[in-house]
C-alpha cells in the first residue's frame, strides 16, 4: 500500500481512504442491483472484512504496533466474520 | 531521547491504554450483536429478506461515506498535531465533526420515516434487530462526536503539541472504532440477503 501510494504521489492514508470508498460503492451496487445468494453475500462480507482490516491497520495505526495489539482488529473481524459467514451458509441449506 | 512513535514500531497502540480497553469491550458487545442477528436470521430468512428491502440503502451509503470520510479527516488531524500544527488539527477535527453530524441527520430522517410508517421495535424480529443495532451505533456516534468536540476545544486552547498528543490519538481511536463497527453493520443489515 505504501509503495503504491508513493507511485501515485499520495499519502498511504489517502490511498486507503479511496480504496474504502471504492469497496463501499461496490457493496452498495451489489445490493442496489438486486444481487443475492450465498456467493454474493459472502463476497460482500469479505469486502467488509477487508475494509475493517484497512481501518485497523492504517487509520487506527495498529499496523505499526508489535505483539497482540496488532491483531486486535483482525481477531475482532475474524470471529464475527466466521460466525456471520457460517449463519448465512446454513441459511442456504 | 524520545523515540518517534510514528517511525519505530511500538508495543502499544496509539493513545491511552484505557481507551483501548474500552474499545475492546465495545467491539465485543457489537460482535455478539452481529452474531445474534445472523443466527436469528437463520430462523426467519424469508422475513429478514422481505423487510430488508424496505430499508433505505441510499441513506446507508451516504452514512457509510460520511463515516469513512470523517475517519480520514481524523487521521489527518492526528498527522497535523504530530508535526505541531494545532490550527490544522482543529480544522480537520471540525471537518470530521461535520461528517458525523451528516450521519446523525441522515439516520434521524430514516428513523422519522420508519416511525411515520408505524415501524417500531415490536413490529417484527427484523425491525427489532435493525432498530436496536443501528440505534446502539447511533449513540456511539454521538459519544464519539462529544469526544472529538472536546479534543478540538482542547487543541484550540493549546493543550496538545507535537510532543504530547495522547488525547488526540485516544479520541481518534474511539472514532475509528465507531467507523469500523458501521463497516460491518452496513453490509450485514442493508445488503447481505
Amino acid at each position: 500500500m505504501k509503495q503504491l501510494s508513493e507511485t501515485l504521489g499520495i499519502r498511504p492514508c489517502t490511498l486507503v481512504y479511496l480504496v474504502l470508498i471504492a469497496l463501499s460503492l461496490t457493496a452498495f451496487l451489489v445490493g442496489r442491483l438486486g444481487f443475492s445468494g450465498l456467493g454474493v453475500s459472502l463476497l460482500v462480507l469479505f469486502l467488509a472484512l477487508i475494509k475493517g482490516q484497512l481501518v485497523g491497520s492504517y487509520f487506527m495505526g495498529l499496523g505499526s504496533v508489535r505483539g497482540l495489539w496488532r491483531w486486535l482488529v483482525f481477531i475482532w473481524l475474524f470471529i464475527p466474520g466466521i460466525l456471520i459467514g457460517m449463519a448465512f451458509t446454513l441459511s442456504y441449506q | 531521547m524520545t523515540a518517534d512513535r510514528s517511525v519505530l514500531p511500538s508495543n502499544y497502540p496509539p493513545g491511552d491504554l484505557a481507551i483501548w480497553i474500552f474499545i475492546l469491550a465495545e467491539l465485543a458487545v457489537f460482535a455478539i450483536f452481529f452474531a445474534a442477528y445472523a443466527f436469528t436470521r437463520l430462523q426467519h430468512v424469508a422475513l429478514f429478506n422481505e423487510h430488508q428491502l424496505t430499508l433505505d440503502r441510499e441513506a446507508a451509503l451516504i452514512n457509510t461515506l460520511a463515516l469513512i470520510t470523517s475517519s480520514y479527516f481524523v487521521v489527518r488531524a492526528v498527522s497535523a498535531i504530530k508535526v505541531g500544527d494545532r490550527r490544522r488539527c482543529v480544522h480537520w477535527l471540525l471537518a470530521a465533526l461535520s461528517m458525523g453530524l451528516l450521519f446523525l441527520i441522515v439516520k434521524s430522517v430514516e428513523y422519522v420515516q420508519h416511525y411515520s410508517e408505524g415501524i417500531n421495535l415490536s413490529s417484527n424480529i427484523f425491525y427489532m434487530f435493525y432498530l436496536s443495532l443501528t440505534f446502539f451505533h447511533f449513540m456511539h456516534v454521538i459519544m464519539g462526536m462529544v469526544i472529538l468536540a472536546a479534543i478540538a476545544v482542547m487543541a484550540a486552547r493549546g493543550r496538545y503539541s507535537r510532543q504530547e498528543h495522547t488525547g488526540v490519538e485516544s479520541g481518534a481511536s474511539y472514532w475509528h472504532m465507531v467507523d469500523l463497527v458501521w463497516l460491518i453493520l452496513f453490509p450485514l443489515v442493508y445488503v447481505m440477503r
Side-chain angles (χ1 to χ4, degrees), chain A residues 11 14 17 21 24 28 31-32 41 44 48 52 55 59-60 64-66 69 72 76 83 87-88 90-92, chain B residues 9-11 13-14 17 20 24 27 31 38-39 41-42 57-58 64 68-69 72 76 176 180 183 187 192-193:
Chain A
R11 295 162 183 259
T14 304
Y17 169 66
I21 295 290
S24 298
F28 168 76
R32 192 75 182 85
S41 290
V44 169
V55 168
F59 284 9
M60 296 175 109
S64 56
V65 176
R66 282 191 298 250
W69 285 107
L72 171 73
W76 182 76
L83 291 173
F88 272 77
L90 288 171
S91 74
Y92 277 89
Chain B
S10 165
N11 287 325
L17 200 56
W20 282 94
L24 257 176
L27 287 178
F39 279 94
R41 179 186 174 277
L42 199 51
R57 288 203 186 103
E58 280 77 11
T64 304
I68 290 172
T69 303
Y72 172 69
R76 298 301 299 268
H176 296 316
L180 179 63
L183 291 183
M192 291 173 66
R193 46 190 286 107

Side-chain angles (χ1 to χ4, degrees), chain B residues 148-167:
Chain B
L148 288 185
I151 289 168
V153 169
M154 287 195 282
R157 289 178 179 170
R159 170 83 182 269
Y160 304 115
S161 63
R162 191 168 69 167
Q163 291 77 25
E164 174 45 49
H165 47 262
T166 309

Side-chain angles (χ1 to χ4, degrees), chain A residues 33-46:
Chain A
L33 296 173
F35 291 127
S36 61
L38 180 60
V40 173
S41 290
L42 294 181
L43 174 68
V44 169
L45 177 63
F46 183 65

Side-chain angles (χ1 to χ4, degrees), chain A residues 43-55:
Chain A
L43 174 68
V44 169
L45 177 63
F46 183 65
L47 292 180
L49 298 180
I50 289 174
K51 283 159 61 184
Q53 188 57 40
L54 286 173
V55 168

Side-chain angles (χ1 to χ4, degrees), chain B residues 135-148:
Chain B
F135 191 71
F136 190 47
H137 179 265
F138 185 88
M139 297 306 287
H140 282 76
V141 174
I142 293 174
M143 173 82 163
M145 287 180 67
V146 170
I147 293 171
L148 288 185

